């Protein structure tokens, strides 16, 4: 049997494992489990050791499902994880404590307080989002000083997990480093002066490597945990959204990946970053070395959950059943999503029903997505060549029609339930063989939108 490759994804809510045939065309096995989450003094945290236990068990189950032949042929392991969660390590490479989750909000206060000083002492291309690691480090120095003083280095959650599997270097890949607020993407270099600003000046930053780099091999003890022979190459993954984009086929400048979930991530791939033009944008290195990304998000899924409940609808019900036969344009009801994540509706008649308002929300998020896409395109100086849309809403024909008709660039829809883990497996293949597997199959708007229907959208939304 030809070599197989394992991708592990430590996600916010679930940890997944995918075993892939070397040509990338066949998924041999998958497994998943809830990602363990705890609470520390009212702060949502991930325990590195608990994460490792679940990740190893999930990977072991996927390998067992694939069978002994596929397990014996394993040629590489890569790990992807949530982007901004850094593990602080002591001199013996042990985690000094639990990791605040990216959504815990602990860095928002320091972000407001220290932004100007960080920009003076350690400027980077693009803005520093409040969830970036550098702001969490400030929280750590202030509220967990004993742990902070014990720490000598750090890395991202996925790279730490990879390093725990065997002998090899402690590293951080460029895509994860891009989410720290301490890394300058165009020069691919650290800005360690920022550590002094946030009270963590004694910390050493890890060696930087591109995603898809072999950095070690599976050790004897970890191999026994997996039921494998030692020596399997360990390969750096990347930020989870970006690995998902890679698997979906966002691989060239002008490719836009939209992952529709609670937060609808928009990621535009580009081949250059202009520090002047991108000063107010989230930018960084993509998981394909030599390429960059611009990133922004809409609260479309969160608004959907809020409004379905307000309207007395079941948010788990199929979207097409909820929308019924509502016409294009929602009978004149229009929605607008503001910069502070608020939805306003205008033109609402006194006899409006829930289906009308829900369709207005769907159309409003599509228009907002189009405007956000145009903003990313102008900022990057790069036209959108194709839109790749993934996520649970893409299962709905009505959602696909709305997004296919309202947006920049040709739309294609990707069934990518485990795309992040699959993207990690793709990086494992590339790291070991030098070849990137083909992306997931995609489908264009189906059925083809009749010209008259498309004109209805054009009249209503431009």
């Amino acid at each position: 049997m030809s070599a197989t490759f394992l991708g592990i994804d430590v996600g916010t809510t679930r940890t997944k494992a995918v075993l892939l045939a070397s040509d990338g065309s066949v998924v041999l096995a998958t497994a998943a489990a809830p990602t363990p989450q705890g609470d520390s003094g009212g702060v949502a945290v991930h325990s590195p050791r608990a994460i490792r236990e679940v990740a190893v068990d999930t990977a072991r189950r996927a390998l067992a499902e694939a069978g002994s032949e596929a397990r014996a042929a394993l040629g590489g392991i890569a790990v992807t994880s949530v982007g901004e969660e850094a593990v602080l390590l002591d001199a013996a490479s042990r985690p000094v404590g639990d990791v605040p989750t990216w959504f815990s909000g602990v860095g928002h206060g320091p972000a407001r307080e220290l932004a100007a000083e960080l920009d003076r002492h350690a400027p980077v291309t693009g803005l520093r989002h409040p969830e970036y690691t550098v702001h969490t480090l400030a929280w750590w120095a202030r509220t967990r000083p004993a742990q902070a003083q014990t720490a000598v280095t750090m890395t991202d959650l996925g790279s730490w997990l990879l390093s725990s599997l065997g002998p090899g270097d402690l590293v951080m890949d460029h895509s994860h480093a891009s989410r720290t607020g301490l890394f300058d993407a165009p020069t691919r270099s650290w800005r360690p002066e920022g550590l002094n600003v946030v009270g963590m000046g004694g910390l050493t930053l890890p060696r930087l490597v591109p995603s898809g780099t072999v950095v070690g091999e599976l050790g004897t003890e970890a191999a026994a945990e997996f039921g494998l022979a030692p020596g399997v190459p360990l390969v750096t993954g990347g930020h989870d959204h970006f690995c998902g984009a890679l698997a979906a086929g966002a691989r060239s400048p002008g490719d836009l990946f939209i992952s529709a979930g609670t937060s609808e991530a928009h990621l535009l791939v580009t081949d250059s970053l202009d520090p002047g033009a991108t000063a107010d944008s989230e930018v960084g290195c993509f998981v394909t070395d030599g390429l960059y990304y611009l990133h922004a998000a809409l609260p479309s899924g969160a608004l959907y959950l809020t409004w379905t409940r307000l309207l007395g609808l079941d948010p788990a019900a199929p979207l097409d059943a909820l929308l019924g036969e509502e016409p294009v344009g929602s009978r004149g009801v229009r929605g607008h999503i503001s910069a502070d994540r608020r939805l306003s509706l205008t033109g609402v008649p006194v006899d409006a029903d829930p289906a009308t308002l829900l369709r207005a929300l769907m159309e409003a998020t599509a228009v907002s997505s189009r405007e956000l896409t145009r903003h990313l395109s102008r900022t990057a100086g790069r036209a959108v060549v194709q839109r790749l849309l993934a996520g649970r809403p893409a299962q709905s024909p009505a959602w696909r029609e709305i997004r296919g008709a309202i947006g920049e660039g040709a739309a294609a829809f990707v069934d990518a339930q485990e795309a992040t883990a699959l993207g990690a497996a793709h990086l494992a293949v590339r790291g070991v063989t030098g070849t990137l597997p083909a992306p997931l199959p995609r489908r264009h708007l189906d059925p083809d939108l009749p010209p008259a229907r498309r004109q209805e959208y054009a009249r209503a939304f431009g």
Side-chain angles (χ1 to χ4, degrees), residues 2-15:
S2 60
T4 60
F5 293 86
L6 180 67
I8 301 172
D9 169 30
V10 180
T12 301
T13 57
R14 290 196 311 150
T15 295

Side-chain angles (χ1 to χ4, degrees), residues 316-413:
L319 178 60
D320 298 272
L322 297 179
L323 294 181
E325 299 299 322
E326 284 299 305
V328 173
S330 304
R331 306 181 195 276
V333 179
R334 292 291 182 268
H336 173 72
I337 301 173
S338 65
D340 60 352
R341 304 166 66 91
R342 296 174 182 269
L343 172 70
S344 58
L345 296 175
T346 59
V348 181
V350 294
D351 60 346
D353 60 27
T356 299
L357 299 182
L358 191 62
R359 181 169 181 107
L361 170 62
M362 294 296 101
E363 291 172 342
T365 53
V367 171
S368 293
S369 174
R370 182 180 65 188
E371 294 307 309
L372 183 57
T373 298
R374 289 172 175 172
H375 169 71
L376 293 174
S377 177
R378 288 192 301 268
T379 302
R382 167 69 64 180
V384 174
V385 177
Q386 63 172 342
R387 279 182 297 146
L388 300 165
L389 297 101
R392 184 177 176 186
Q395 299 172 12
S396 159
W399 192 89
R400 292 197 299 271
E401 179 186 287
I402 293 169
R403 289 306 181 96
I406 304 174
E408 295 289 299
F413 302 91

Side-chain angles (χ1 to χ4, degrees), residues 233-366:
L234 302 175
V235 184
T236 53
H239 182 284
D240 55 358
H241 277 317
F242 310 156
C243 284
L246 180 77
R251 301 179 174 190
S252 301
D255 289 346
L256 176 76
F257 178 65
I258 299 177
S259 177
T262 305
S263 178
E264 184 176 311
H266 289 57
L267 185 142
L268 178 63
V269 179
T270 186
D271 52 0
S272 64
L273 290 178
D274 178 349
T278 59
D280 297 320
S281 304
E282 287 184 61
V283 301
C285 291
F286 192 51
V287 291
T288 298
D289 198 39
L291 294 179
Y292 302 97
Y293 70 82
L294 277 74
H295 175 269
L298 289 172
S300 55
L303 287 171
Y304 178 80
L305 292 172
T306 298
W307 277 81
T308 48
R309 289 165 181 156
L310 286 173
L311 295 169
L313 304 173
D314 179 4
L319 178 60
D320 298 272
L322 297 179
L323 294 181
E325 299 299 322
E326 284 299 305
V328 173
S330 304
R331 306 181 195 276
V333 179
R334 292 291 182 268
H336 173 72
I337 301 173
S338 65
D340 60 352
R341 304 166 66 91
R342 296 174 182 269
L343 172 70
S344 58
L345 296 175
T346 59
V348 181
V350 294
D351 60 346
D353 60 27
T356 299
L357 299 182
L358 191 62
R359 181 169 181 107
L361 170 62
M362 294 296 101
E363 291 172 342
T365 53

